Amino acid sequence: MKTPIDDIFKTFEHGVCHRGLHDLTRPENSRASFEYAIEKGFPFECDINLTKDKRFVVNHDGDLLRVTGKEGNIKDLTVEEIKANYTLFDGSSLITLEELLELWDYKVPLVLEIKVQGDQASEIVEYLKPTLDGLQDKSKIVLISFNSEVLIGLKDIDINVGRLYGRKEIFKNFVDPTPFDFMDVYVYFTGLRSFRKARKAGKKILTWTVIDKMSARYSDKHADAMTFEVINSSKELDKQKENQYLLKNIEKYGTN
């Protein structure tokens, strides 16, 4: 039986770290960023992509260029090839879903985003389902995706699923949130009538991605919990001052 969604959102009270608790020394979606989130007692969000050999690697993009400086798409590579030829900026390897779950070990809530390239949806459901079905404590994990087919395919394993909403889902092809347990909405779209109406009817909203005081206030007004960024990359140092309140929040709430 699924954990009541209200109970899940109580565990997000002080926010969810986007791509781990990463900064200028800990790469996004890296082992170090997840270890830091766990150390501070924060739930964290991360992303998985399906490899050529039908396993899952933790990375936001399907392409590896942005985070490793080297061309290559996860769907065209095996785990062995990725481990041997690609590293993050701290010199560490990308980790697999198996390694992520072993590190996580139910210590904090986990928001797992499932990335889909092309027509991978049915394969992803096939290869991901046994791993998720085998988890001992499904109350500590939720699944999110922009792909409805994947989420619906995984709904029968007693894990709460949330539909992601961004620009495309709002302006080109709005997706009815009814089949999903919650919504994960770009922060400034949460004030739109469709989401206000769904929330009034009892549907929970998680926002992405809070980066400053303004977006935090907007999230507080229109959503039930937030996913936050501290510093996304070295190119965004100008956001550091705006993010001081988040850093203070980590110091205030982040210890067990």
Side-chain angles (χ1 to χ4, degrees), residues 68-124:
T68 70
K70 188 175 180 179
E71 292 278 4
N73 196 300
I74 292 172
K75 69 180 175 61
D76 300 321
L77 298 164
T78 66
V79 168
E80 184 179 356
E81 290 169 332
I82 293 169
K83 291 279 193 181
N85 297 295
Y86 297 87
T87 57
L88 301 172
F89 71 69
D90 65 344
S92 66
S93 298
L94 284 81
I95 66 173
T96 64
L97 175 60
E98 294 93 339
E99 291 170 323
L100 167 71
L101 295 176
E102 183 179 0
L103 170 67
W104 166 59
D105 195 29
Y106 314 101
K107 297 181 183 80
V108 295
L110 170 62
V111 178
L112 189 67
E113 179 173 351
I114 304 165
K115 298 290 187 178
V116 182
Q117 296 191 64
D119 59 357
Q120 289 182 323
S122 60
E123 278 192 323
I124 287 173

Side-chain angles (χ1 to χ4, degrees), residues 1-2 125-126 128-130 132-134 138 143 149-161 179 181:
M1 186 170 63
K2 283 185 181 180
V125 171
E126 178 184 356
L128 184 57
K129 200 169 187 176
L132 296 177
D133 207 23
K138 297 182 178 68
L143 309 176
E149 182 182 346
V150 163
L151 294 176
I152 290 170
L154 295 170
K155 277 196 73 173
D156 62 351
I157 56 175
D158 292 336
I159 294 178
N160 286 281
V161 300
D181 300 302

Side-chain angles (χ1 to χ4, degrees), residues 165-227:
Y165 293 86
R167 188 177 300 273
K168 178 181 175 183
E169 289 72 23
I170 300 301
F171 296 114
K172 292 184 179 180
N173 185 27
F174 182 74
V175 178
D176 181 3
T178 305
F180 312 104
D181 300 302
F182 67 98
M183 302 172 290
D184 196 353
V185 185
Y186 173 62
V187 60
Y188 289 119
F189 291 161
T190 55
L192 296 176
R193 183 174 179 273
S194 54
F195 294 123
R196 287 190 284 109
K197 184 178 178 181
R199 190 181 183 214
K200 189 175 181 180
K203 191 74 69 173
K204 292 287 186 179
I205 297 181
L206 178 65
T207 55
W208 61 272
T209 302
V210 168
I211 61 169
D212 53 28
K213 289 181 179 180
M214 184 179 295
S215 53
R217 288 171 184 150
Y218 202 85
S219 178
D220 284 342
K221 181 177 180 180
H222 294 290
D224 302 285
M226 69 174 71
T227 303

